[in-house]
Amino acid sequence: MGEQVPTVLIPGLMCSPRLYAEQLPALWRFGPVTVAGHRGADSVKEIAGQILAAAPPKFSLAGLSMGGYVALEIMRQAADRVARLALVDTSARPDTPDKTAGRRDQMALAEAGRLGEVTDILYPRWVGPARRDDPELRWTVRQMADETGPEAFVRQQTAIMNRPDSRPGLSAIDCQTLVVAGVDDEVTPLDCSEEIANGIPSARLLVIPDCGHLSTLEQPKILTTALTAWLSQ
């Protein structure tokens, strides 16, 4: 298999390592795998710096949603350390005023001890129509919310709504890049992924049918196959 390069995975908003549970056994065959912490700071710049401080000198990097925002910041800070990049169900765009307003409402609920209500609001937006009535998937999302906790959720939302516009830097990314989009993603719609794939010279776009925003959980076999192929190249 040749020299093994470690892999760093960054979860999304209000997500824990459970987000990648189905992929970890397969990815582990290619070298050490770390699910990075992203709960302790309220800016993507600081979160990226914390991940880089703990990461190996050279690594493959994948992030879903918020994890993609942080991954793009890592590319700004230390692109030379990233062997390959996977951007899953994410966007290079900054937050919009409407989305920021919605985040502030969710933060207020979390601060009032009502994080469970936030989960109920977000779940039908996060998953595609085929999985909205799936009790096991809903349970997993609730567990990840509990593992994140309200304080970290507020920090994460603060980081997300103040993230920079990553589009101007896409053309400078020169490592092998996989871009993944669920065709039914309502949070970061397909055109967001198409924009990233068109902006990065070496990018390949994978569009997954019957899938919303949480592709690692909604279509785990397809994601595992895609990520193992990404690591094999």
Side-chain angles (χ1 to χ4, degrees):
M1 187 178 292
E3 183 180 358
Q4 294 187 329
V5 176
T7 299
V8 175
L9 307 174
I10 310 176
L13 169 70
M14 205 169 67
C15 292
S16 72
R18 291 177 192 269
L19 183 69
Y20 296 108
E22 294 291 333
Q23 288 74 46
L24 288 172
L27 301 186
W28 177 79
R29 293 186 292 111
F30 295 88
V33 182
T34 301
V35 180
H38 65 332
R39 300 172 64 252
D42 62 2
S43 75
V44 293
K45 184 175 182 179
E46 188 174 353
I47 294 169
Q50 291 174 348
I51 292 172
L52 283 166
K58 195 81 171 181
F59 55 94
S60 299
L61 177 64
L64 184 148
S65 191
M66 177 188 178
Y69 310 151
V70 177
L72 288 167
E73 176 63 30
I74 287 174
M75 297 305 294
R76 282 190 287 274
Q77 293 187 23
D80 59 313
R81 292 178 58 185
V82 179
R84 56 177 66 80
L85 177 66
L87 298 168
V88 183
D89 303 304
T90 193
S91 172
R93 302 170 187 174
D95 220 31
T96 65
D98 285 348
K99 288 188 174 182
T100 294
R103 295 187 199 284
R104 292 192 187 281
D105 291 342
Q106 295 162 20
M107 292 161 68
L109 287 172
E111 290 172 331
R114 298 161 64 184
L115 188 61
E117 292 179 41
V118 176
T119 306
D120 291 339
I121 292 168
L122 292 177
Y123 180 79
R125 302 178 190 173
W126 279 3
V127 304
R131 300 297 296 276
R132 285 177 187 157
D133 296 324
D134 185 326
E136 290 186 11
L137 183 55
R138 183 181 287 271
W139 180 88
T140 298
V141 172
R142 279 191 168 273
Q143 286 295 111
M144 292 195 297
D146 289 344
E147 289 158 357
T148 299
E151 294 85 2
F153 173 77
V154 169
R155 287 192 291 270
Q156 289 175 344
Q157 287 283 40
T158 301
I160 290 171
M161 65 190 190
N162 292 310
R163 71 187 186 273
D165 188 344
S166 293
R167 290 173 293 183
L170 293 177
S171 61
I173 297 175
D174 60 3
C175 64
Q176 175 190 303
T177 302
L178 171 67
V179 182
V180 179
V183 72
D184 299 318
D185 190 343
E186 296 181 7
V187 179
T188 52
L190 179 57
D191 64 307
C192 293
S193 292
E194 291 173 336
E195 183 175 52
I196 294 172
N198 290 333
I200 299 175
S202 61
R204 180 177 73 87
L205 176 63
L206 171 65
V207 180
I208 303 177
D210 298 318
C211 186
H213 190 57
L214 299 180
S215 56
T216 55
L217 296 173
E218 294 179 67
Q219 294 286 2
K221 291 183 179 179
I222 295 176
L223 251 294
T224 299
T225 298
L227 289 176
T228 53
W230 167 71
L231 290 176
S232 298
Q233 296 175 350

